[in-house]
Amino acid sequence: MWLMAAGAAVVCAAAVCAAAALVVRHRMKSSGKWARALSILKEFEEKCGTPSSKLKQVADAMTVEMHAGLASEGGSKLKMIISYVHNFPTGDEKGLFYALDLGGTNFRVLRVHLGGKESRVVKQEFEEVSIPAHLMTGSSDELFDYIASALAKFVATESDSQHVSPGRQRELGFTFSFPVRQTSISSGTLIKWTKGFSVEDTVGQDVVGELTKAIERAGLDMRVAALVNDTVGTLAGGRYNNPDVAAAVILGTGTNAAYVEHAHAIPKWHGLLPKSGEMVINMEWGNFRSSHLPLTEYDQALDAGSLNPGEQIFEKMISGMYLGEIVRRVLCKMAEEAAIFGDTVPPKLKIPFILRTPHTSAMHHDTSPDLKVVATKLKDILEISNTSLKLRKLIVEVCDIVATRGARLSAAGIVGILKKLGRDTVKDGEKQKSVVALDGGLYEHYTKFRTCMENTLWELLGEEASENIAVEHSMDGSGIGAALLAASHSQYIEVEEP
């Protein structure tokens, strides 16, 4: 009996030991996986590093590329497109003008009533319309017919007091935020689509011609008076309110910059020098590329799988279209190699672009003690439940690394522009104020991104130069700017009474 009891005790002890060993092994395995997750995070953080010294190299490279792009067509990754805008609205403009702002997954139609010097912008109204996904890769006629139809419906809501004068066409400023080879203030051929659009039969066509044909098909009597990029529109809107505005930057779904250049500093301009001595340049800075950019394996994979591999590298690192996707790719690697979400990779996490920048922004700004917003986003978007606080903190760190890199690179780009204009340093006795107008959903809504970008700008410029530089949020600048440019390029200006 004693022997049987002893045997049972031995078996029981062995079982306990085995179970304990299993727990230890599980913990070791678990801690090994967590160590791997932390290792992926650390490596990613190092690769995304943007010390001041690197950012100054990026700014210098931006300035060099700007010079090259102004010297000759195709001389740089920066297109440095001549916008044909060399006279800004004066404030004397009067009447009813429209704007159409197409630059991302939504477009806006605007109606602006201008009252001249005294009243300025009397009234403005707008409507935002989503573009169905299939039209972003469909035919040119389908896309522009959809836009013209929405425009016609909006025009139909004019009040009795808002109609244009009898015998006059309505006039529209067309903000088209894609690379265009501008041929005049109201014509330009599409070079390529960006931001997820791929309507092949529009490439090489005059986009004003495409819109005009669609407007006619919609039975609307309207003339496109000005074709502008969103940054050029933002610059015009900013300059209308503040004569010190020297540049405009859009940080939204995509990103771009425009600035006022001395006309004599554009070697590739072969026309007569404008009387103003100035010319607005649309940089198309999303296509900037430099060996100094802190690219990671995730950026390279994102680029390789994109609609435009090798193009828009700067945009893919800093704009709203891509920040969420970079976060997803990092989390995917952690899920595969460190099993942070369990033994299988959550199926939803494998879907490209399922995690959008507004989602990662919400997680990044989560101030609740248990990171409740992070838990909710993971559950609602990726169907991932029961995450630990430790894991949620890790995810916030990934969001922070991606946003910080994007914000600091944006600031370096702005310094590159100021450098080109000679406004990055203070000259003896000179107190010239330079204002940069900023717009776009990323800048407006992603607070941590905006704060980091502005702080980095002051860090790079230094205290003295920073005193002469200001950043202003140009609310809806691109739409208002387009309407203002339509007014300043109206076909009826010559017949206005003095």
Side-chain angles (χ1 to χ4, degrees):
M1 192 74 183
W2 181 85
L3 281 171
M4 282 176 69
V10 169
V11 169
C12 194
V16 169
C17 284
L22 201 64
V23 168
V24 169
R25 270 203 304 275
H26 177 74
R27 281 183 182 160
M28 283 174 68
K29 189 179 177 186
S30 180
S31 68
K33 284 178 177 175
W34 185 248
R36 177 65 189 132
L38 293 178
S39 162
I40 291 169
L41 180 76
K42 186 169 183 291
E43 186 187 353
F44 181 57
E45 187 171 29
E46 286 170 358
K47 289 274 172 66
C48 285
T50 49
S52 291
S53 56
K54 183 178 273 291
L55 292 177
K56 284 174 180 171
Q57 290 175 318
V58 170
D60 287 344
M62 181 70 80
T63 307
V64 168
E65 289 297 316
M66 288 171 76
H67 278 285
L70 290 172
S72 62
E73 291 296 345
S76 163
K77 275 282 185 187
L78 296 179
K79 298 261 187 272
M80 302 300 284
I81 297 164
I82 294 166
S83 71
Y84 290 84
V85 171
H86 47 80
N87 281 321
F88 286 105
T90 59
D92 293 325
E93 295 79 14
K94 289 182 179 180
L96 192 66
F97 296 92
Y98 280 84
L100 166 64
D101 188 352
L102 173 62
T105 46
N106 298 327
F107 68 89
R108 288 174 309 149
V109 284
L110 301 93
R111 181 165 43 233
V112 180
H113 183 192
L114 300 174
K117 272 276 193 285
E118 299 303 312
S119 319
R120 313 286 280 186
V121 177
V122 178
K123 187 179 182 184
Q124 55 174 301
E125 302 162 273
F126 77 93
E127 203 169 283
E128 192 157 320
V129 185
S130 287
I131 299 175
H134 71 277
L135 292 181
M136 292 172 68
T137 53
S139 75
S140 192
D141 282 356
E142 286 173 331
L143 177 63
F144 283 99
D145 281 345
Y146 182 78
I147 292 166
S149 167
L151 182 59
K153 282 178 193 164
F154 184 65
V155 169
T157 65
E158 276 181 3
S159 66
D160 292 339
S161 62
Q162 285 183 314
H163 289 303
V164 293
S165 304
R168 290 192 172 191
Q169 275 186 305
R170 291 178 183 86
E171 293 182 294
L172 172 123
F174 183 17
T175 302
F176 186 74
S177 310
F178 301 91
V180 162
R181 184 165 288 108
Q182 196 105 11
T183 47
S184 76
I185 187 63
S186 59
S187 61
T189 55
L190 177 65
I191 297 167
K192 64 176 180 180
W193 288 103
T194 55
K195 291 176 275 194
F197 280 80
S198 186
V199 183
E200 289 307 318
D201 57 338
T202 319
V203 177
Q205 298 299 312
D206 175 11
V207 291
V208 171
E210 293 296 292
L211 176 61
T212 301
K213 285 186 286 184
I215 285 172
E216 287 168 0
R217 287 194 293 268
L220 202 55
D221 185 22
M222 184 178 272
R223 168 183 171 264
V224 181
L227 171 68
V228 295
N229 184 273
D230 55 354
T231 39
V232 176
T234 299
L235 189 52
R239 184 65 85 93
Y240 185 71
N241 295 312
N242 186 338
D244 290 329
V245 168
V249 175
I250 300 286
L251 289 163
T253 307
T255 183
N256 193 14
Y259 73 104
V260 184
E261 182 58 274
H262 302 294
H264 62 75
I266 312 170
K268 69 181 179 183
W269 172 255
H270 300 303
L272 291 170
L273 287 179
K275 285 178 188 171
S276 66
E278 297 178 328
M279 179 65 77
V280 176
I281 298 295
N282 163 22
M283 290 175 61
E284 291 299 336
W285 86 347
N287 208 38
F288 171 66
R289 189 169 193 166
S290 162
S291 59
H292 299 298
L293 291 176
L295 284 161
T296 68
E297 62 185 271
Y298 310 100
D299 300 298
Q300 285 157 347
L302 184 156
D303 177 52
S306 70
L307 289 169
N308 52 351
E311 301 291 324
Q312 301 297 113
I313 299 300
F314 195 52
E315 180 169 86
K316 287 169 184 169
M317 297 177 80
I318 72 173
S319 81
M321 176 98 179
Y322 301 100
L323 298 184
E325 173 62 5
I326 297 166
V327 171
R328 183 197 70 82
R329 286 173 179 270
V330 176
L331 296 183
C332 219
K333 178 161 180 170
M334 288 178 169
E336 288 164 357
E337 297 188 13
I340 59 170
F341 300 118
D343 291 338
T344 57
V345 177
K348 287 278 177 92
L349 186 61
K350 294 178 182 177
I351 302 171
F353 292 95
I354 191 169
L355 198 59
R356 294 170 52 241
T357 301
H359 303 145
T360 58
S361 171
M363 293 195 285
H364 194 184
H365 288 102
D366 190 355
T367 54
S368 61
D370 57 350
L371 297 177
K372 194 176 288 182
V373 176
V374 178
T376 304
K377 292 291 177 192
L378 291 172
K379 188 171 185 297
D380 293 350
I381 299 150
L382 301 172
E383 295 177 1
I384 297 169
S385 305
N386 306 321
T387 51
S388 66
L389 181 58
K390 183 169 75 167
L391 176 55
R392 296 200 287 276
K393 284 180 177 175
L394 179 81
I395 291 166
V396 172
E397 280 193 65
V398 175
C399 295
D400 184 63
I401 292 166
V402 172
T404 298
R405 181 186 68 166
R408 287 177 67 78
L409 288 174
S410 305
I414 292 170
V415 172
I417 297 171
L418 294 171
K419 204 176 180 69
K420 171 70 179 70
L421 293 173
R423 312 264 185 105
D424 61 319
T425 53
V426 178
K427 302 187 175 55
D428 288 344
E430 197 177 278
K431 282 287 177 190
Q432 187 180 13
K433 193 92 174 153
S434 300
V435 177
V436 181
L438 274 121
D439 199 12
L442 181 65
Y443 177 79
E444 185 179 351
H445 302 301
Y446 201 146
T447 309
K448 284 181 184 283
F449 185 101
R450 179 175 68 245
T451 305
C452 178
M453 191 212 79
E454 289 174 357
N455 289 341
T456 306
L457 196 54
W458 314 140
E459 173 193 323
L460 295 174
L461 289 168
E463 197 174 336
E464 198 182 6
S466 295
E467 288 177 12
N468 294 332
I469 308 294
V471 170
E472 281 183 6
H473 182 201
S474 179
M475 286 283 288
D476 189 33
S478 59
I480 294 288
L484 290 167
L485 288 168
S488 64
H489 293 86
S490 167
Q491 64 189 321
Y492 303 113
I493 282 179
E494 300 303 319
V495 298
E496 292 289 351
E497 290 176 16

PDB file of all heavy atoms in Angstrom, residues 1-14:
ATOM      1  N   MET A   1       0.831  -1.199   0.000  1.00  0.00           N
ATOM      2  CA  MET A   1       0.000   0.000   0.000  1.00  0.00           C
ATOM      3  C   MET A   1       0.866   1.251   0.000  1.00  0.00           C
ATOM      4  O   MET A   1       0.628   2.201  -0.724  1.00  0.00           O
ATOM      5  CB  MET A   1      -0.887  -0.049   1.268  1.00  0.00           C
ATOM      6  CG  MET A   1      -2.009   0.977   1.267  1.00  0.00           C
ATOM      7  SD  MET A   1      -3.315   0.521   0.141  1.00  0.00           S
ATOM      8  CE  MET A   1      -4.376   1.893   0.277  1.00  0.00           C
ATOM      9  N   TRP A   2       1.875   1.200   0.891  1.00  0.00           N
ATOM     10  CA  TRP A   2       2.796   2.332   0.975  1.00  0.00           C
ATOM     11  C   TRP A   2       3.496   2.570  -0.358  1.00  0.00           C
ATOM     12  O   TRP A   2       3.649   3.677  -0.817  1.00  0.00           O
ATOM     13  CB  TRP A   2       3.820   2.043   2.092  1.00  0.00           C
ATOM     14  CG  TRP A   2       4.804   3.175   2.273  1.00  0.00           C
ATOM     15  CD1 TRP A   2       4.658   4.284   3.020  1.00  0.00           C
ATOM     16  CD2 TRP A   2       6.091   3.269   1.646  1.00  0.00           C
ATOM     17  NE1 TRP A   2       5.740   5.106   2.924  1.00  0.00           N
ATOM     18  CE2 TRP A   2       6.660   4.491   2.076  1.00  0.00           C
ATOM     19  CE3 TRP A   2       6.836   2.442   0.772  1.00  0.00           C
ATOM     20  CZ2 TRP A   2       7.926   4.909   1.672  1.00  0.00           C
ATOM     21  CZ3 TRP A   2       8.083   2.878   0.394  1.00  0.00           C
ATOM     22  CH2 TRP A   2       8.624   4.100   0.836  1.00  0.00           C
ATOM     23  N   LEU A   3       3.874   1.448  -1.020  1.00  0.00           N
ATOM     24  CA  LEU A   3       4.552   1.532  -2.315  1.00  0.00           C
ATOM     25  C   LEU A   3       3.646   2.178  -3.364  1.00  0.00           C
ATOM     26  O   LEU A   3       4.069   3.007  -4.169  1.00  0.00           O
ATOM     27  CB  LEU A   3       4.994   0.155  -2.804  1.00  0.00           C
ATOM     28  CG  LEU A   3       6.282  -0.393  -2.164  1.00  0.00           C
ATOM     29  CD1 LEU A   3       6.479  -1.827  -2.578  1.00  0.00           C
ATOM     30  CD2 LEU A   3       7.472   0.436  -2.595  1.00  0.00           C
ATOM     31  N   MET A   4       2.347   1.784  -3.332  1.00  0.00           N
ATOM     32  CA  MET A   4       1.392   2.340  -4.300  1.00  0.00           C
ATOM     33  C   MET A   4       1.239   3.851  -4.087  1.00  0.00           C
ATOM     34  O   MET A   4       1.220   4.640  -5.025  1.00  0.00           O
ATOM     35  CB  MET A   4       0.023   1.663  -4.156  1.00  0.00           C
ATOM     36  CG  MET A   4      -0.032   0.267  -4.796  1.00  0.00           C
ATOM     37  SD  MET A   4      -1.618  -0.507  -4.505  1.00  0.00           S
ATOM     38  CE  MET A   4      -2.682   0.500  -5.497  1.00  0.00           C
ATOM     39  N   ALA A   5       1.131   4.244  -2.799  1.00  0.00           N
ATOM     40  CA  ALA A   5       0.977   5.671  -2.492  1.00  0.00           C
ATOM     41  C   ALA A   5       2.212   6.451  -2.931  1.00  0.00           C
ATOM     42  O   ALA A   5       2.127   7.548  -3.488  1.00  0.00           O
ATOM     43  CB  ALA A   5       0.749   5.858  -0.991  1.00  0.00           C
ATOM     44  N   ALA A   6       3.381   5.839  -2.663  1.00  0.00           N
ATOM     45  CA  ALA A   6       4.631   6.507  -3.054  1.00  0.00           C
ATOM     46  C   ALA A   6       4.702   6.662  -4.565  1.00  0.00           C
ATOM     47  O   ALA A   6       5.106   7.694  -5.095  1.00  0.00           O
ATOM     48  CB  ALA A   6       5.837   5.704  -2.540  1.00  0.00           C
ATOM     49  N   GLY A   7       4.291   5.602  -5.270  1.00  0.00           N
ATOM     50  CA  GLY A   7       4.297   5.650  -6.741  1.00  0.00           C
ATOM     51  C   GLY A   7       3.369   6.734  -7.257  1.00  0.00           C
ATOM     52  O   GLY A   7       3.701   7.480  -8.174  1.00  0.00           O
ATOM     53  N   ALA A   8       2.188   6.801  -6.622  1.00  0.00           N
ATOM     54  CA  ALA A   8       1.212   7.823  -7.042  1.00  0.00           C
ATOM     55  C   ALA A   8       1.778   9.223  -6.813  1.00  0.00           C
ATOM     56  O   ALA A   8       1.605  10.129  -7.627  1.00  0.00           O
ATOM     57  CB  ALA A   8      -0.101   7.651  -6.268  1.00  0.00           C
ATOM     58  N   ALA A   9       2.467   9.370  -5.671  1.00  0.00           N
ATOM     59  CA  ALA A   9       3.050  10.678  -5.348  1.00  0.00           C
ATOM     60  C   ALA A   9       4.102  11.081  -6.377  1.00  0.00           C
ATOM     61  O   ALA A   9       4.197  12.229  -6.793  1.00  0.00           O
ATOM     62  CB  ALA A   9       3.661  10.659  -3.948  1.00  0.00           C
ATOM     63  N   VAL A  10       4.924  10.071  -6.768  1.00  0.00           N
ATOM     64  CA  VAL A  10       5.966  10.328  -7.767  1.00  0.00           C
ATOM     65  C   VAL A  10       5.349  10.762  -9.094  1.00  0.00           C
ATOM     66  O   VAL A  10       5.778  11.727  -9.735  1.00  0.00           O
ATOM     67  CB  VAL A  10       6.871   9.085  -7.953  1.00  0.00           C
ATOM     68  CG1 VAL A  10       7.760   9.255  -9.175  1.00  0.00           C
ATOM     69  CG2 VAL A  10       7.709   8.863  -6.709  1.00  0.00           C
ATOM     70  N   VAL A  11       4.290  10.025  -9.507  1.00  0.00           N
ATOM     71  CA  VAL A  11       3.605  10.359 -10.767  1.00  0.00           C
ATOM     72  C   VAL A  11       3.022  11.762 -10.699  1.00  0.00           C
ATOM     73  O   VAL A  11       3.143  12.569 -11.622  1.00  0.00           O
ATOM     74  CB  VAL A  11       2.485   9.322 -11.067  1.00  0.00           C
ATOM     75  CG1 VAL A  11       1.595   9.813 -12.214  1.00  0.00           C
ATOM     76  CG2 VAL A  11       3.095   7.988 -11.415  1.00  0.00           C
ATOM     77  N   CYS A  12       2.396  12.046  -9.558  1.00  0.00           N
ATOM     78  CA  CYS A  12       1.766  13.358  -9.355  1.00  0.00           C
ATOM     79  C   CYS A  12       2.818  14.475  -9.409  1.00  0.00           C
ATOM     80  O   CYS A  12       2.633  15.500 -10.063  1.00  0.00           O
ATOM     81  CB  CYS A  12       1.054  13.367  -8.001  1.00  0.00           C
ATOM     82  SG  CYS A  12      -0.063  14.773  -7.843  1.00  0.00           S
ATOM     83  N   ALA A  13       3.941  14.237  -8.732  1.00  0.00           N
ATOM     84  CA  ALA A  13       5.020  15.226  -8.715  1.00  0.00           C
ATOM     85  C   ALA A  13       5.580  15.449 -10.116  1.00  0.00           C
ATOM     86  O   ALA A  13       5.865  16.575 -10.529  1.00  0.00           O
ATOM     87  CB  ALA A  13       6.138  14.769  -7.776  1.00  0.00           C
ATOM     88  N   ALA A  14       5.706  14.322 -10.847  1.00  0.00           N
ATOM     89  CA  ALA A  14       6.214  14.415 -12.220  1.00  0.00           C
ATOM     90  C   ALA A  14       5.268  15.244 -13.084  1.00  0.00           C
ATOM     91  O   ALA A  14       5.692  16.073 -13.901  1.00  0.00           O
ATOM     92  CB  ALA A  14       6.382  13.016 -12.810  1.00  0.00           C
TER      93      ALA A  14
END
